[in-house]
Amino acid sequence: FKRIKDGDVIEFEMNGYKQLRAMRFDKSDVEQALLTINEQDIQEQITERKIETRLTVASGEITDSLYADAQRAGLNGTIVHQIADIFKYDVDFADDLRDGDQFQVVYQQSYLDGKPYKQGQIKAATFINRGEKFSAFQYKYDGKEQFFDGNGRPLKKVLLRIPIDFARLSSTFGMRKHPVLGRMRAHKGVDYAARTGTPIMAAGDGRVELAGWKSGYGKTVIINHGQGRSTLYGHMSTIGKLKRGQSVSQGSIIGRVGSTGLATGPHLHYEFRIGGKQVNPLKVTMPKPEPLRGAELAKFRSATAPAIAMMEQSTTTQLR
């Protein structure tokens, strides 16, 4: 009874003596319960409601924000976060979006009793950002579902360009007047303004070199990614349960945005280092993973052909 809410329907069956003989109600979204009451006991019968899942296409154009325009296209927040996660290696959704950018997704839509129920996993997507088209197709490879571009190259790069979601670029790489010290000095990273507590992700697989206080950086994490590459994350409010030498995986939460050290407000100071020297993370060329080849590439093309056909048909229909 604690789970009863406005709009729930409970049906009662009474006998001629106004005694309760049965009641029926939705136990969950997909289960309906029938309680039959007799003199000896109460019997419960559970009926599962039919859920049908099929692929659906949706598309839209950026006029406001990805979230708002996706909602106008009939997509929910779960799909929006999937879009951002899929294309995060190539598109900065905080600063790169422009009016006129376009998106198209093929996703799983489930129906309950013939009515739309839940939106599920994206199976294919395209995003046109500043005239450049990015494509993503889900394909099971090496035992797990991954996203590849149209040529069969994994979208997942060795390192993330931006290790924080939906943050605003507040300071670029290069010379600037330090906001606290008040004098010109080199800014050897980029800053992303975000609310205190916003999760910060590891840019790539690696080992922790530092997880603690580092002078003006405040609470800081440094990760060694091998091959002379490392990343630094500064001014955190809290650091995850990390120790020097500990392995971390790409995308894992290593801490949260703060303003510790020499900082005037909550933000992430992010540095990308090659051979110990800081380079601009927005300009450095990220190493690309190897594409699928031979028979595996042929299987990929065959598996993704239906989604491609759906997207092409949808585009053709809209143009008519």
Side-chain angles (χ1 to χ4, degrees):
F1 285 99
K2 291 180 181 178
R3 292 196 294 266
I4 293 176
K5 59 184 182 299
D6 289 350
D8 286 352
V9 175
I10 303 176
E11 298 174 286
F12 301 93
E13 180 182 322
M14 315 291 286
N15 64 12
Y17 300 97
K18 295 184 179 181
Q19 295 173 321
L20 181 64
R21 283 291 169 254
M23 60 184 293
R24 183 166 53 199
F25 57 94
D26 291 337
K27 193 170 184 177
S28 68
D29 287 346
V30 296
E31 292 180 321
Q32 190 174 71
L34 173 63
L35 302 183
T36 303
I37 303 168
N38 54 47
E39 294 180 357
Q40 286 75 35
D41 58 12
I42 301 175
Q43 295 181 337
E44 179 186 47
Q45 180 182 348
I46 301 296
T47 303
E48 289 194 7
R49 302 166 71 183
K50 183 179 179 181
I51 294 182
E52 178 188 0
T53 301
R54 55 179 180 262
L55 293 181
T56 304
V57 182
S59 59
E61 181 175 316
I62 300 298
T63 59
D64 183 4
S65 68
L66 176 61
Y67 190 85
D69 294 314
Q71 277 195 318
R72 277 190 280 271
L75 302 173
N76 62 22
T78 300
I79 297 292
V80 173
H81 281 283
Q82 287 185 59
I83 294 173
D85 188 59
I86 290 168
F87 293 111
K88 65 186 176 186
Y89 298 95
D90 299 297
V91 180
D92 180 351
F93 285 95
D95 290 289
D96 284 351
L97 288 191
R98 295 293 182 272
D99 287 350
D101 285 356
Q102 299 175 344
F103 59 88
Q104 188 177 37
V105 294
V106 176
Y107 63 98
Q108 291 178 321
Q109 172 69 62
S110 61
Y111 294 83
L112 182 63
D113 296 335
K115 298 179 180 179
Y117 176 50
K118 287 184 178 180
Q119 295 176 357
Q121 290 291 315
I122 289 179
K123 294 299 180 181
T126 60
F127 199 94
I128 300 176
N129 176 232
R130 300 186 182 188
E132 185 175 1
K133 184 176 182 179
F134 301 95
S135 299
F137 301 94
Q138 191 182 67
Y139 177 67
K140 191 172 185 178
Y141 176 67
D142 201 21
K144 58 182 179 180
E145 298 288 354
Q146 305 177 50
F147 280 95
F148 298 78
D149 66 15
N151 296 317
R153 189 184 297 275
L155 293 190
K156 181 179 179 180
K157 306 284 193 305
V158 175
L159 292 169
L160 293 172
R161 192 178 301 278
I162 303 165
I164 185 171
D165 287 334
F166 301 107
R168 175 177 60 85
L169 180 66
S170 57
S171 186
T172 56
F173 187 92
M175 294 298 295
R176 67 165 188 177
K177 185 177 181 179
H178 195 280
V180 176
L181 300 178
R183 62 175 182 265
M184 294 298 295
R185 64 184 291 182
H187 187 230
K188 298 181 179 181
V190 293
D191 291 346
Y192 290 99
R195 291 182 178 179
T196 297
T198 301
I200 299 169
M201 300 174 285
D205 298 341
R207 292 189 178 277
V208 177
E209 279 191 357
L210 172 70
W213 191 272
K214 183 176 172 62
S215 60
Y217 291 101
K219 292 182 180 180
T220 302
V221 171
I222 299 177
I223 301 174
N224 188 327
H225 304 285
Q227 298 182 322
R229 303 187 188 97
S230 64
T231 49
L232 177 148
Y233 316 77
H235 305 306
M236 293 182 173
S237 60
T238 59
I239 296 175
K241 295 180 179 180
L242 303 176
K243 298 184 297 183
R244 181 181 173 85
Q246 178 180 335
S247 296
V248 293
S249 57
Q250 186 181 73
S252 61
I253 305 303
I254 57 173
R256 296 182 180 274
V257 168
S259 54
T260 56
L262 292 178
T264 56
H267 71 282
L268 165 67
H269 173 81
Y270 176 55
E271 291 185 8
F272 192 105
R273 302 176 177 188
I274 299 179
K277 181 180 179 181
Q278 293 98 334
V279 297
N280 189 344
L282 301 181
K283 298 290 180 67
V284 67
T285 301
M286 298 293 181
K288 293 184 178 181
E290 288 296 311
L292 301 174
R293 301 185 188 279
E296 195 67 51
L297 179 59
K299 287 173 59 179
F300 166 77
R301 295 196 185 285
S302 176
T304 57
I308 293 174
M310 289 182 67
M311 297 170 87
E312 290 177 346
Q313 182 179 5
S314 176
T315 301
T316 303
T317 302
Q318 291 175 22
L319 293 174
R320 287 176 180 173

